[in-house]
Amino acid sequence: MATATYRVLVVTNLWPTKADPGYGSFVKAQMESLRPLGVDFDVLFINGRESKWNYLHGVRQVRKQLQTNRYDLIHAHFGLSGWVARGQFRVPVVVSFMGDDVLGRPARSGRNTLGGRLLKISGFIFARLATSVIVKSRPMASSLRMPLAHVIPNGVDLNLFRPMDQAKARQELGLDPRKKFVLFPYNPEEVRKRFDLVQKAVSLAREQVDDLELLMARGLPQEQMPFYMNAADVLVMASISEGSPNAVKEAMATNLPVITVDVGDATDLIGPTAGCH
């Protein structure tokens, strides 16, 4: 492992917890992948789901961290975390926008909710205060009206997400080897994921495909997700909005076919890949 040459403070409201080990696992994976490149980091997790006041507390925590540690950079993941990081001007702040912090949070009708519009405005303003801006897809850069924003989608750990024998994966999860499984790796209560549409599609497909079932996978450690990807027959995504959907990339890494709506950079991701539509 390379000797650490850069010290980074990661400020994020996305990070795995004991209660939700899958939450923000892609952020953790991204940061861990930088250690061999000489990047050492500390993490300040802002639990915004627990209380919005934690963002305000986070500003004080950042200042306290800077009093006792030297950092070359603060990397904020998600726009609201950026405001916490920008509560100081001693250290440069890079922000990685994730999706709804730029695009908003739509209702089932497709229109942005009030909270989604406020989130979008917040991201638009903060992008002008950050030292540098990272987005996950070109449409996000367009939404921010920042053509020079760095487009850097989250990567996939190919040592973790790789093809394996489907029978063994199903045995690991205790799944019926005779059924066909449609994987939905999202929170069904999250409106923009359109779980209701997926349910209707699967119901229609059952008329032609016997023993077709939905396979739910959420709130799981990232280490378990490859088993679900390999156990399934297809992954579906019907979201109203996305940045650069990680599940699509992970599915493709395991050779799991993907059926998706044209959202985020999904069309570019699957391209002409056989079995993906």
Side-chain angles (χ1 to χ4, degrees):
M1 183 177 290
T3 303
T5 56
Y6 297 99
R7 288 278 296 157
V8 176
L9 176 61
V10 177
V11 180
T12 177
N13 59 358
L14 296 157
W15 199 262
T17 63
K18 288 184 178 180
D20 193 349
Y23 185 64
S25 56
F26 59 93
V27 175
K28 182 179 180 181
Q30 180 192 98
M31 293 310 304
E32 291 293 348
S33 72
L34 296 175
R35 288 195 190 274
L37 302 178
V39 177
D40 193 15
F41 64 90
D42 295 322
V43 178
L44 176 58
F45 172 53
I46 310 297
N47 194 341
R49 295 192 298 178
E50 180 183 73
S51 172
K52 300 305 180 188
W53 288 106
N54 286 335
Y55 290 104
L56 186 59
H57 298 324
V59 174
R60 293 198 296 268
Q61 290 176 292
V62 167
R63 293 175 179 173
K64 185 177 180 180
Q65 283 280 106
L66 297 184
Q67 290 174 357
T68 55
N69 297 276
R70 181 194 66 80
Y71 296 104
D72 300 292
L73 180 74
I74 299 179
H75 189 174
H77 293 262
F78 201 84
L80 294 179
S81 301
W83 286 105
V84 175
R86 189 76 284 180
Q88 56 76 46
F89 285 87
R90 289 170 50 192
V91 181
V93 174
V94 171
V95 59
S96 284
F97 287 106
M98 297 300 175
D100 50 2
D101 48 356
V102 170
L103 305 172
R105 289 176 177 165
R108 183 61 181 85
S109 64
R111 293 185 178 182
N112 250 322
T113 61
L114 175 59
R117 291 196 294 271
L118 292 175
L119 195 60
K120 187 174 181 178
I121 292 170
S122 171
F124 188 88
I125 295 172
F126 178 72
R128 274 89 188 147
L129 299 177
T131 308
S132 191
V133 172
I134 296 172
V135 292
K136 304 305 174 184
S137 62
R138 183 55 56 189
M140 290 177 63
S142 299
S143 182
L144 285 174
R145 298 180 190 174
M146 297 188 75
L148 297 181
H150 302 280
V151 180
I152 309 176
N154 291 98
V156 176
D157 184 351
L158 297 180
N159 292 317
L160 181 63
F161 289 91
R162 54 185 174 79
M164 66 177 70
D165 182 72
Q166 187 182 73
K168 291 182 178 179
R170 291 190 174 188
Q171 184 178 21
E172 175 72 22
L173 300 176
L175 297 176
D176 190 334
R178 297 165 296 180
K179 292 185 179 295
K180 297 288 186 181
F181 289 104
V182 176
L183 180 62
F184 185 81
Y186 305 107
N187 180 359
E189 296 178 2
E190 192 172 347
V191 174
R192 70 183 175 94
K193 299 297 185 181
R194 292 202 291 191
F195 181 59
D196 60 320
L197 179 59
V198 173
Q199 284 182 306
K200 290 177 182 178
V202 171
S203 179
L204 287 172
R206 281 199 189 103
E207 297 175 6
Q208 300 182 44
V209 181
D210 294 333
D211 296 323
L212 189 66
E213 285 193 9
L214 266 170
L215 178 62
M216 311 294 291
R218 62 176 295 262
L220 300 170
Q222 191 178 41
E223 293 75 17
Q224 290 187 22
M225 287 307 300
F227 290 103
Y228 282 85
M229 297 281 183
N230 280 283
D233 295 283
V234 62
L235 177 139
V236 291
M237 187 179 70
S239 302
I240 298 173
S241 69
E242 291 281 349
S244 178
N246 294 307
V248 170
K249 289 172 272 189
E250 293 165 353
M252 295 182 73
T254 62
N255 288 340
L256 175 65
V258 175
I259 297 178
T260 175
V261 295
D262 183 10
V263 65
D265 62 354
T267 299
D268 293 332
L269 287 173
I270 67 172
T273 306
C276 296
H277 303 276

